[in-house]
Amino acid sequence: MKNTVSTLLRQKQSGDKITMLTAYDYTTAKIIDECGVNAILIGDSLGMVMLGYENTLPVTMEDMIHHTKAVSRGAENAFVVADMPFMSYQVSVEEAVINAGRLIKEGGANAVKLEGGAEVCEQIRAIVNASIPVVAHLGLTPQSVNVFGGFKVQGKSIDNARKLVEDAVRIQEAGACAVVLEGIPAKLADIITKKLFIPTIGIGAGSGCDGQVLVYQDMLGLTTGHTPKFVKRFAEVGDLMRKGISDYISETKEGTFPAEEHTYAVDEEVIAELSKEC
Ligand code: KIV
């Protein structure tokens, strides 16, 4: 059964935790979908994990549409959410609606996600009025990395925490169907989750949220270097890949790959005949 906005809302009401993972390509989306995850996010984190940028800022609409198309083809049941990249919705409400429309029409997404609170409510309202569900994103919003001065936990001071609660209420009033809460204290996320009727989906925001989202490369152990505190590595797929690739190199060099079972047979007469000619 296809997950929809209503599925996520019902899950909040019944206390059934929402699961969301990122995906950026067809094969991964298909595996994640088959496992029964509720929602797949084509995050602009693809800038880092797929394209090798330092942050999400260089990601373009074309990058997002390209990856969203691939994921949509692999996601049969999951609710597909595509990120609106930096500068695709901040300049004007009109541009925001046009770009959100492209992610649905060309990319095949079911909803779009954008970062910010009160300052993007006009955009949220207009996109929702165009019949496109919007997932909001508050807290450590990576597109504001230059304003924050790095990837820093938000909502630790009373003013900042109060502003996040107010923003959460504002985006809900503007028509957002869910909100991602990233990099905020768990107790603040609990307060926001209880205050809203729309589901909260946390990443680095504790277990009190209505659901969780992770970048799949992080949770499957594909990323190297610093692992953020909120990431649990559920598997070490990177190590499995390294072993498989090293074995391929060794066996190819030794000549043990390909073995008999990996080759195609031909009638001996054909080879005998050919040998006379060569
Ligand atoms: O871009 C992304 O992957 C995200 C998640 C971290 C929520 O926005």
Side-chain angles (χ1 to χ4, degrees):
M1 276 277 286
K2 183 78 181 169
N3 287 265
T4 65
V5 171
S6 314
T7 318
L8 306 188
L9 192 57
R10 269 200 308 274
Q11 283 183 264
K12 174 169 182 126
Q13 289 159 355
S14 67
D16 175 19
K17 295 278 185 186
I18 297 162
T19 53
M20 179 188 248
L21 282 174
T22 65
Y24 316 94
D25 67 275
Y26 170 79
T27 305
T28 314
K30 201 161 184 305
I31 293 172
I32 291 174
D33 190 79
E34 283 164 3
C35 289
V37 157
N38 297 119
I40 295 181
L41 171 69
I42 306 97
D44 59 357
S45 51
L46 72 83
M48 284 111 99
V49 294
M50 299 302 288
L51 305 177
Y53 296 134
E54 212 177 293
N55 55 44
T56 59
L57 304 185
V59 175
T60 65
M61 273 300 296
E62 303 316 314
D63 292 333
M64 289 309 306
I65 289 170
H66 176 75
H67 288 273
T68 302
K69 278 181 177 175
V71 168
S72 300
R73 288 192 282 261
E76 202 181 318
N77 294 319
F79 184 61
V80 175
V81 182
D83 253 343
M84 298 198 68
F86 183 54
M87 283 299 139
S88 70
Y89 58 94
Q90 289 91 342
V91 178
S92 73
V93 171
E94 192 182 339
E95 260 187 54
V97 177
I98 291 169
N99 285 324
R102 290 191 68 197
L103 290 166
I104 305 293
K105 219 174 148 87
E106 298 173 47
N110 304 123
V112 298
K113 175 168 83 58
L114 52 81
E115 298 181 8
E119 70 282 8
V120 292
C121 278
E122 255 196 272
Q123 282 88 332
I124 295 176
R125 223 169 262 116
I127 297 169
V128 172
N129 280 342
S131 302
I132 298 170
V134 176
V135 175
H137 187 163
L138 295 172
L140 198 183
T141 43
Q143 291 176 17
S144 302
V145 61
N146 289 320
V147 177
F148 297 150
F151 295 101
K152 295 179 182 159
V153 174
Q154 300 296 303
K156 288 190 135 189
S157 72
I158 180 65
D159 286 349
N160 194 210
R162 199 177 276 135
K163 164 94 171 76
L164 284 170
V165 175
E166 282 165 14
D167 276 343
V169 173
R170 295 283 298 276
I171 58 97
Q172 173 173 273
E173 284 167 359
C177 66
V179 57
V180 168
L181 299 177
E182 178 166 359
I184 65 170
K187 287 186 177 168
L188 173 59
D190 290 351
I191 291 172
I192 295 174
T193 300
K194 288 197 183 97
K195 203 167 172 68
L196 299 185
F197 62 78
I198 59 170
T200 60
I201 303 175
I203 173 162
S207 64
C209 295
D210 299 307
Q212 297 295 322
V213 55
L214 283 173
V215 170
Y216 88 83
Q217 285 91 340
D218 288 343
M219 55 86 71
L220 289 183
L222 281 157
T223 39
T224 51
H226 170 71
T227 303
K229 183 180 162 99
F230 61 80
V231 171
K232 177 170 175 182
R233 290 168 77 106
F234 286 84
E236 291 298 336
V237 176
D239 288 347
L240 275 177
M241 286 177 74
R242 271 178 218 102
K243 170 149 187 357
I245 294 163
S246 300
D247 288 351
Y248 160 74
I249 293 171
S250 313
E251 290 185 28
T252 299
K253 288 192 180 295
E254 285 161 9
T256 51
F257 173 80
E260 183 80 34
E261 68 264 30
H262 307 121
T263 58
Y264 300 102
V266 63
D267 278 347
E268 280 310 319
E269 290 139 40
V270 173
I271 296 302
E273 190 65 31
L274 195 65
S275 300
K276 284 187 218 151
E277 295 167 22
C278 300

